């Protein structure tokens, strides 16, 4: 064969050879794509299953914590950690990473991988260390021989600092993650994880702050004085009730002691104990005149300063913090301690404490001295259970959180740094919210007969807003029911019913959003002249309501507001009564 013929054949074969190369390259790319799609698809399917298994368990963790079942929390966190770790591993390999930057599917893969990683950060970086550290079993809060072990608290500080940082990081990453262009299931997963994480951020911050401050709060640097004021919701005041029993607790180097316990009588002063504004005096009848009205003005700092001033005036000591607590909260705590058996054999525990202390004690014991003795005995026995270690610390901690979330346990620390460190705990009462996201009302009740009849009061609240043309308004409706029966009302002792045959009477003060004005009010006592004033930025109106036994009525405030925004959430603080008061937001159509 000639050289020319060979060259011609090779030239003829080169295009065919190039075509074979192109074909094999395309085949290789196709195989690679199929591999990537299969790899990512399988791992994505598996990761989806892991996250779907994890999320219900995480919701269960919240419920276990609320119930005080911290052993259940630890078991659930250990279980969920296996799922979140697997989901993160399945969505973090190089193949997944490469696929996450491709067009079309890349955004979904990136978002899903980030959700898996964030969820695992929450579990492995925050919940697992916290539960293994022991805060959730709260054993370090159990004193031995009347003294808390301060060294055990110190060992937890670095652990909770890291857990808090992990929670803050997870929250920031969830906020930064944009899933608007992803498929529905990924958007749903983003929402579900966010809904789980956000409430935990302040709680973990509060736990971190508590662990850091606890040695100081327990007297490591010197004696600490705490004033505890017990309120009676049957004689409602804005932040709780009649402040009838007071006690001073001293904690020194971890050892806690009950210094003294008194009723309100030794605290009475012939002169006003603290300054109030003219508006506060106008809105709240009796404000500043008696220690029993310490919480009648709805300002926690002012209430704490008032209580401290009364105590200092009577006994010459100044507390480092003031706690306000009602009998419902006391019942929560008694669920974690042995029941209290009174000298006459009456048993008081977590199931009946609220009803007994708010009502039955007045029906069964005929004098103030007997009633004070009963209440004092219960408090002393509860205190002895705590200092003696005869209580479940995990359940006790859960009771404090539950009481705080219902505003039945409030605390004000006078040291700014302590208050800031503990801000994540639900013991504060911040000012009413009014911003781009929220408009909050304050609905404050005060018993107005000098009776204890508000034990029988049941209430529900509805909030609404509307924008109709140039008109924009808020509406606050409250349905009140007197649960006393007509046949039993006349039989009530005078110090319960004030000789009113089962009637109850209250003053209701509504604080509205800044810049709004009251347009009308209905359903209230016709013979009462409403009081209006502005406390700070909030316009306020006082109305009065009288209800006979078995009666029910619905009252209404209408408030005009130039800045009503239907995108805002409506919320309300309502004075905690003997029974829970539900608050519901309802539609208010035009026309």
């Amino acid at each position: 064969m000639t050289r020319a013929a060979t060259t011609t054949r090779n030239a003829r074969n080169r295009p065919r050879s190039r075509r074979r190369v192109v074909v094999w390259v395309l085949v290789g790319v196709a195989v690679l794509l199929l591999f990537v799609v299969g790899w990512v698809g399988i791992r994505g399917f598996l990761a989806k299953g892991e996250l779907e298994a994890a999320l219900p368990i995480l919701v269960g963790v919240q419920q276990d914590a609320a119930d005080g079942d911290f052993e259940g929390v630890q078991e659930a966190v250990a279980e969920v950690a296996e799922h979140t770790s697997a989901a993160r591993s399945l969505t973090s390999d190089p193949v997944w990473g490469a696929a996450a930057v491709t067009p079309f599917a890349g955004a979904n893969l990136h978002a899903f991988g980030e959700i898996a990683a964030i969820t695992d950060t929450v579990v492995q970086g925050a919940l697992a260390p916290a539960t293994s550290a022991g805060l959730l079993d709260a054993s370090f809060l159990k004193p031995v021989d009347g003294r808390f072990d301060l060294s055990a608290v110190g060992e937890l500080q670095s652990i909770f600092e890291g857990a808090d940082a992990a929670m803050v990081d997870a929250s920031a990453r969830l906020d930064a993650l944009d899933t608007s262009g992803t498929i529905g299931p990924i958007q749903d997963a983003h929402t579900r994880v966010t809904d789980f994480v956000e409430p935990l951020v302040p709680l973990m911050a509060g736990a971190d702050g508590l662990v850091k401050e606890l040695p100081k709060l327990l007297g490591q640097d010197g004696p600490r004085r705490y004033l505890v004021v017990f309120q009676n919701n049957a004689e409602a005041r804005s932040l709780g009730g009649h402040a009838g029993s007071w006690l001073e607790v001293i904690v020194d180097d971890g050892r806690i002691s009950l210094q003294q316990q008194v009723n309100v009588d030794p605290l009475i002063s012939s002169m006003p104990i603290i300054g109030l504004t003219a508006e506060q005096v106008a809105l709240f009848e009796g404000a500043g005149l008696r220690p029993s009205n310490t919480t009648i003005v709805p300002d926690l700092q002012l209430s704490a300063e008032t209580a401290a001033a009364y105590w200092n005036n009577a006994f010459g000591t100044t507390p480092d913090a003031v706690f306000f607590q009602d009998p419902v909260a006391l019942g929560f705590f008694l669920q974690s301690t042995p029941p209290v058996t009174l000298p006459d054999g009456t048993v008081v525990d977590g199931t009946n404490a609220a009803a007994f202390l708010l009502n039955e004690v007045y029906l069964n014991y005929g004098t103030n001295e007997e009633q004070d003795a009963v209440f004092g005995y219960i408090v002393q026995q509860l205190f002895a259970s705590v200092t003696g270690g005869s209580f479940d610390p995990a359940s006790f901690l859960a009771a404090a959180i539950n009481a705080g979330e219902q505003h039945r346990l409030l605390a004000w620390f006078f040291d700014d740094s302590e208050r800031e460190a503990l801000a994540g705990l639900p013991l504060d009462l911040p000012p009413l919210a009014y911003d781009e996201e929220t408009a909050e009302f304050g609905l404050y009740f005060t018993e107005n007969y000098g009776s204890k009849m508000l034990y029988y009061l049941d209430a529900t609240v509805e909030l609404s807003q509307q924008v109709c043309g140039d008109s924009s308004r808020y509406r606050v409706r409250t349905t009140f029911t007197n649960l006393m029966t007509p046949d039993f009302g006349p039989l009530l002792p005078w110090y319960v019913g004030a000789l009113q045959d089962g009637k109850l009477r209250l003053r209701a003060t509504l604080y509205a959003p800044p810049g709004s004005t009251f347009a009308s009010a209905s359903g209230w006592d016709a013979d009462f002249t409403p009081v209006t004033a502005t406390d700070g930025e909030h316009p306020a109106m006082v109305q009065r309501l009288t209800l006979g036994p078995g009666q029910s009525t619905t009252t209404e405030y209408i408030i005009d507001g130039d800045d009503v925004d239907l995108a805002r959430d409506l919320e309300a603080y309502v004075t905690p009564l003997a029974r829970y008061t539900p608050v519901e937001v309802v539609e208010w159509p035009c026309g």
Side-chain angles (χ1 to χ4, degrees):
M1 183 178 296
T2 65
R3 183 180 183 89
T6 302
T7 300
T8 301
R9 187 181 303 121
N10 289 340
R12 213 182 292 124
N13 289 337
R14 272 198 294 271
R16 188 180 305 159
S17 180
R18 290 193 190 100
R19 284 196 297 272
R20 289 197 191 100
V21 171
V22 171
V23 169
W24 282 111
V25 168
L26 292 175
V27 170
V29 169
V31 170
L32 179 61
L33 287 174
L34 288 173
F35 169 76
V36 169
V37 170
W39 178 269
V40 171
I42 292 172
R43 292 175 75 85
F45 176 78
L46 295 174
K48 176 176 177 290
E50 296 289 356
L51 276 184
E52 287 178 341
L55 289 175
I57 301 174
L58 287 173
V59 174
V61 167
Q62 290 178 310
Q63 188 58 52
D64 287 342
D67 294 340
D69 181 10
F70 293 109
E71 182 177 345
V73 170
Q74 291 173 320
E75 293 175 354
V77 168
E79 179 183 359
V80 80
E82 297 179 3
H83 293 296
T84 60
S85 178
R88 184 173 197 162
S89 176
L90 288 165
T91 58
S92 60
D93 67 284
V95 176
W96 187 283
V101 297
T102 61
F104 308 113
N108 290 300
L109 297 177
H110 167 73
F112 186 68
E114 184 70 355
I115 291 170
I118 292 170
T119 307
D120 194 48
T121 295
V122 170
V123 174
Q124 305 280 6
L127 299 183
T131 55
S132 64
L135 180 70
L136 290 184
D137 67 24
S139 58
F140 74 97
L141 290 175
K142 195 169 188 176
V144 177
D145 296 327
R147 184 179 181 276
F148 293 96
D149 183 1
L150 301 183
S151 62
V153 179
E155 295 172 1
L156 300 177
Q157 292 176 347
S158 62
I159 295 174
F160 277 90
E161 184 176 358
D164 179 48
M167 194 66 75
V168 170
D169 174 67
S171 177
R173 289 165 64 186
L174 284 169
D175 286 343
L177 182 61
D178 182 8
T179 58
S180 59
T182 63
I183 58 177
I186 292 178
Q187 294 181 25
D188 179 62
H190 185 208
T191 299
R192 292 176 67 188
V193 173
T194 300
D195 289 345
F196 172 77
V197 169
E198 289 311 304
L200 292 181
V201 174
L203 286 179
M204 190 61 74
D208 180 41
L210 175 63
V211 169
K212 287 177 179 176
E213 292 293 326
L214 203 52
K216 179 182 176 183
L217 300 181
L218 292 176
Q220 184 179 66
D221 302 331
R224 302 277 298 192
R225 293 180 181 270
Y226 299 115
L227 181 59
V228 183
V229 180
F230 290 93
Q231 304 188 86
N232 186 338
N233 316 77
E235 302 175 74
R237 302 294 186 268
S238 296
L239 298 188
H242 176 280
S245 184
W246 304 50
L247 62 90
E248 183 184 42
V249 174
I250 294 181
V251 187
D252 188 8
D253 194 30
R255 188 169 298 280
I256 182 171
S257 60
L258 178 58
Q259 186 71 2
Q260 64 176 324
Q261 180 180 358
V262 301
N263 64 21
V264 75
D265 293 340
L267 303 170
I268 295 174
S269 171
S270 59
M271 299 291 290
I273 206 72
I274 196 168
L276 299 173
T277 68
E279 291 78 10
Q280 291 168 336
V281 172
L283 290 169
F284 299 99
E285 186 179 49
L289 299 180
R290 295 182 293 275
S292 58
N293 286 338
T294 291
T295 57
I296 197 170
V297 177
D299 182 317
L300 179 58
Q301 179 178 353
L302 178 62
S303 297
E305 291 172 349
T306 303
Y310 273 116
W311 192 265
N312 181 268
N313 183 63
F315 302 110
T317 60
T318 300
D320 295 291
V322 178
F323 294 81
F324 298 99
Q325 178 178 322
D326 71 11
V328 179
L330 190 65
F332 294 161
F333 288 119
L334 281 170
Q335 293 175 11
S336 66
T337 70
V340 174
T341 301
L342 299 178
D344 65 2
T346 301
V347 177
V348 181
D349 58 22
T351 66
N352 69 349
F356 180 81
L357 292 171
L358 289 171
N359 182 248
E360 294 169 17
V361 68
Y362 304 110
L363 302 179
N364 299 335
Y365 302 89
T367 67
N368 288 337
E369 291 74 19
E370 289 178 300
Q371 296 156 11
D372 289 344
V374 167
F375 189 80
Y377 186 85
I378 292 173
V379 171
Q380 291 169 14
Q381 293 303 305
L382 176 63
F383 188 84
S385 294
V386 173
T387 57
S390 299
F391 72 105
D392 176 22
S395 177
F396 199 87
L397 181 61
I401 293 173
N402 186 21
E405 289 176 341
Q406 295 187 30
H407 305 308
R408 300 183 182 279
L409 175 63
L410 301 171
W412 183 268
F413 289 81
F414 291 105
D415 183 279
D416 292 343
S417 62
E418 293 174 3
R419 198 167 59 252
E420 181 179 352
L422 301 173
L425 297 177
L427 303 179
D428 194 5
L429 193 62
L432 298 175
Y434 186 72
D435 51 38
E436 293 182 355
E437 297 180 352
T438 306
E440 185 177 16
F441 295 83
L443 184 55
Y444 309 109
F445 303 139
T446 303
E447 196 283 325
N448 195 230
Y449 265 149
S451 74
K452 297 171 176 61
M453 284 300 298
L454 293 199
Y455 172 76
Y456 299 99
L457 178 65
D458 185 70
T460 61
V461 178
E462 289 184 355
L463 307 176
S464 303
Q465 58 186 337
Q466 68 171 203
V467 177
C468 304
D470 295 332
S471 173
S472 55
R473 301 183 294 176
Y474 299 106
R475 183 179 66 192
V476 178
R477 280 181 172 171
T478 308
T479 298
F480 297 98
T481 302
N482 184 351
L483 300 177
M484 173 52 59
T485 58
D487 55 340
F488 190 65
L491 303 179
L492 290 171
W494 69 266
Y495 45 80
V496 174
L499 301 179
Q500 298 298 324
D501 293 337
K503 290 180 182 178
L504 60 81
R505 190 170 74 186
L506 62 90
R507 287 165 63 106
T509 305
L510 181 71
Y511 277 36
S516 62
T517 56
F518 285 90
S520 64
S522 60
W524 304 96
D525 286 351
D527 61 346
F528 178 77
T529 301
V531 179
T532 57
T534 299
D535 187 8
E537 295 184 316
H538 294 277
M541 175 182 280
V542 184
Q543 290 283 354
R544 195 189 71 190
L545 179 67
T546 305
L547 282 179
Q551 288 185 344
S552 180
T553 193
T554 297
T555 64
E556 183 175 272
Y557 292 96
I558 302 295
I559 305 104
D560 291 331
D562 295 334
D563 195 32
V564 175
D565 185 347
L566 298 181
R568 281 196 187 102
D569 293 329
L570 296 182
E571 297 180 358
Y573 168 91
V574 181
T575 296
L577 299 169
R579 295 163 186 80
Y580 173 71
T581 301
V583 177
E584 183 181 6
V585 178
V586 299
E587 295 290 331
W588 188 14
C590 297

